[in-house]
Amino acid sequence: MLLTISQRFFFDAAHTLRREIEAEGSRRVHGHTYHAEVFLTGELDPATGMVLDLGLLRRALADVRARLDHHMLDEVPGLGIPTLENLCLFIAESMPDPLRQQVVRVRVWREAVGDSCVLECAQPA
C-alpha cells in the first residue's frame, strides 16, 4: 500500500521576466512570496509507522529554501528562466537521493495573485 506525505514551505524572492502580456512590470525587478509543497510516496515502514521521517523532508526542503529565499531568481544556478514551471522542476531536482525517487508531485504558487503550477512526476517503482 502506498501512502503520500507532503511538506510546505515558502520563500520570498525577486526576479525579472520577459513576457508579451503585462510586459512592463515583469521586465523590472520585482518580488513575490512563493509557496511550495512537495509530495512523496512510499510504503509504510511497519517499524516506524512512517513513509519517511518528516524531519528528513523538512531538512532537505530547508536546503532548497536557502538557495531561493531572498535571492534574485535570475541568478540562481540551475534554475533557468524564473517561471513557476522552472521552480517546480528546480525543487524536484534539488531533492537529495533517495528522497528524489519518492517525489511524485511539486506545487509552486503565489497566493497573492492566484498563480500556480503543478509538476506531476512518475510514480516510484
Side-chain angles (χ1 to χ4, degrees):
M1 176 183 344
L2 290 177
L3 296 167
T4 300
I5 60 173
S6 71
Q7 181 66 50
R8 291 182 182 178
F9 68 100
F10 74 94
F11 59 96
D12 295 303
H15 73 117
T16 63
L17 194 59
R18 296 213 176 274
R19 306 172 55 191
E20 292 183 31
I21 299 172
E22 301 171 351
E24 175 87 18
S26 294
R27 272 188 289 239
R28 290 192 302 266
V29 174
H30 62 283
H32 303 281
T33 297
Y34 294 88
H35 299 268
E37 186 168 14
V38 177
F39 297 78
L40 284 76
T41 297
E43 297 283 340
L44 180 68
D45 181 341
T48 65
M50 297 181 271
V51 170
L52 175 80
D53 185 327
L54 284 170
L56 294 171
L57 179 55
R58 280 192 287 274
R59 184 178 350 169
L61 293 177
D63 291 341
V64 175
R65 183 178 188 269
R67 294 171 64 189
L68 300 170
D69 191 42
H70 286 86
H71 286 289
M72 180 68 170
L73 296 180
D74 304 59
E75 301 169 356
V76 172
L79 176 58
I81 299 168
T83 61
L84 293 174
E85 295 88 342
N86 281 335
L87 283 165
C88 283
L89 290 167
F90 178 84
I91 292 167
E93 292 167 359
S94 295
M95 296 298 294
D97 284 328
L99 300 184
R100 185 179 310 133
Q101 283 74 42
Q102 290 182 271
V103 174
V104 293
R105 186 176 205 231
V106 176
R107 179 176 178 230
V108 176
W109 70 98
R110 299 180 305 189
E111 189 73 30
V113 292
D115 299 336
S116 72
C117 181
V118 175
L119 169 66
E120 298 287 351
C121 305
Q123 291 291 325

